Amino acid sequence: MDMKRRIHLELRNRTPSDVKDLVLDNCRSNEGRIEGLTDEFEELEFLSTINVGLTTVAHLPKLNKLKKLELSDNRISGGLEVLAEKCPNLTHLNLSGNKIKDLSTIEPLKELGTLKSLDLFNCEVTNLNEYRDNVFKLLPQLTYLDGYDKDDKEASDSDAEVYAEGLDDDEDDEDDVDEEDYDEDAAPGDEEEGDDDEEENEEEEEEDLSGEEEEEEDVNDRDVDDDDEEQEERGQKRKRDLDEEGEDDEED
């Protein structure tokens, strides 16, 4: 799904000015640029574009209220100077997994006076000698680099989970989509009721069959009894006939 369509879907009948959190992870950017995002998103505070193939942030609109920007797992190698102009109040920036090789690439970030946390995990720049010390010197406004402060103390829970709020909101939106796409005809309980009805029908059929078998057995028993009675009557008649013949012989 391309980025423009993803943004359209994420709006969910809202206007851009109603959106505070926007997650566009894993969609496709056109020629490595941000598309479909305009300065109409004036209330946007959290933007996540993980793994969308970005090579530049030059087309980022003016987002004065944006505080948290997630750009990890892209192909950005420079051009970060636009962030100070486009997102002047940015406090958290994640550039992990990009093609940032030297300190000069991140030097423009010093213009972001409110920047508190910067992540550069899996970037080549992290392999430089005295990487952490040099970044803190270059960007004195930073409190945390890669989740730790100057004294190697881990960021507090509230800072370590700064992106969770936006991600949670996105998950809620996905739940809403599931509910919208949910087939009411297959609502919970319908299938179970159908199974119950089917079981009841099977039980009734079994009862009917057993009843028919019992009735057939009764008929057979009656037929046997009738045959026995008939044979007994014939035997008694034969005996009477023989007795009568004997009496006739005696008279003669």
Side-chain angles (χ1 to χ4, degrees):
M1 182 184 299
D2 63 49
M3 187 174 291
K4 282 185 177 180
R5 177 164 175 73
R6 177 66 177 274
I7 291 174
H8 175 72
L9 292 177
E10 290 292 332
L11 284 175
R12 306 187 195 287
N13 298 321
R14 297 176 296 174
T15 62
S17 60
D18 292 330
V19 180
K20 290 187 176 182
D21 304 297
L22 186 59
V23 178
L24 306 175
D25 300 348
N26 302 311
C27 66
R28 295 192 305 272
S29 62
N30 183 27
E31 297 181 354
R33 301 179 301 179
I34 293 175
E35 286 192 318
L37 195 64
T38 68
D39 52 14
E40 293 180 73
F41 288 82
E42 55 189 8
E43 298 296 323
L44 195 62
E45 297 180 2
F46 175 90
L47 174 62
S48 182
T49 55
I50 299 173
N51 188 35
V52 299
L54 290 181
T55 58
T56 178
V57 290
H59 297 274
L60 193 69
K62 182 81 168 179
L63 300 170
N64 285 325
K65 293 190 176 182
L66 192 68
K67 295 180 179 179
K68 306 162 189 175
L69 179 57
E70 172 66 75
L71 295 170
S72 60
D73 299 328
N74 285 290
R75 302 195 301 272
I76 298 169
S77 59
L80 301 180
E81 60 274 2
V82 302
L83 294 179
E85 175 190 351
K86 302 293 183 68
C87 313
N89 295 302
L90 205 61
T91 60
H92 296 78
L93 176 62
N94 192 339
L95 289 166
S96 302
N98 280 278
K99 298 182 179 298
I100 298 174
K101 301 179 180 180
D102 50 55
L103 294 177
S104 62
T105 304
I106 62 172
E107 185 175 5
L109 299 180
K110 65 185 179 181
E111 301 299 326
L112 285 168
T114 57
L115 190 62
K116 179 180 179 181
S117 175
L118 175 65
D119 287 313
L120 295 169
F121 288 113
N122 297 323
C123 292
E124 289 186 37
V125 67
T126 61
N127 297 323
L128 298 177
N129 291 332
E130 300 182 348
Y131 151 72
R132 289 181 57 81
D133 290 339
N134 288 329
V135 172
F136 276 119
K137 289 177 182 178
L138 185 65
L139 306 174
Q141 76 273 35
L142 281 185
T143 302
Y144 301 107
L145 175 61
D146 301 332
Y148 291 84
D149 66 11
K150 295 177 182 179
D151 299 321
D152 289 332
K153 291 182 180 179
E154 191 172 3
S156 62
D157 291 340
S158 59
D159 288 316
E161 298 175 0
V162 290
Y163 300 109
E165 296 175 8
L167 295 174
D168 288 343
D169 289 341
D170 183 57
E171 290 175 359
D172 292 340
D173 288 343
E174 290 178 358
D175 292 339
D176 292 341
V177 171
D178 292 339
E179 291 176 2
E180 291 171 3
D181 294 340
Y182 196 77
D183 185 0
E184 293 180 357
D185 294 335
D190 287 354
E191 185 177 350
E192 295 178 359
E193 290 176 2
D195 293 341
D196 293 340
D197 291 341
E198 186 175 346
E199 291 177 0
E200 290 177 1
N201 292 334
E202 290 178 356
E203 292 176 358
E204 290 176 359
E205 289 177 1
E206 290 177 358
E207 291 177 358
D208 292 341
L209 290 173
S210 61
E212 291 176 0
E213 291 174 356
E214 290 177 358
E215 183 176 352
E216 186 176 349
E217 289 177 358
D218 291 340
V219 171
N220 292 336
D221 290 341
R222 286 198 297 272
D223 290 342
V224 171
D225 292 340
D226 291 344
D227 290 342
D228 291 343
E229 290 177 1
E230 187 176 346
Q231 289 178 2
E232 186 176 351
E233 288 178 359
R234 284 200 298 267
Q236 290 176 354
K237 186 175 182 301
R238 177 66 177 165
K239 184 178 180 182
R240 286 196 300 271
D241 292 341
L242 291 174
D243 291 342
E244 290 177 357
E245 291 177 358
E247 291 176 357
D248 291 342
D249 292 340
E250 288 178 0
E251 291 177 357
D252 294 340

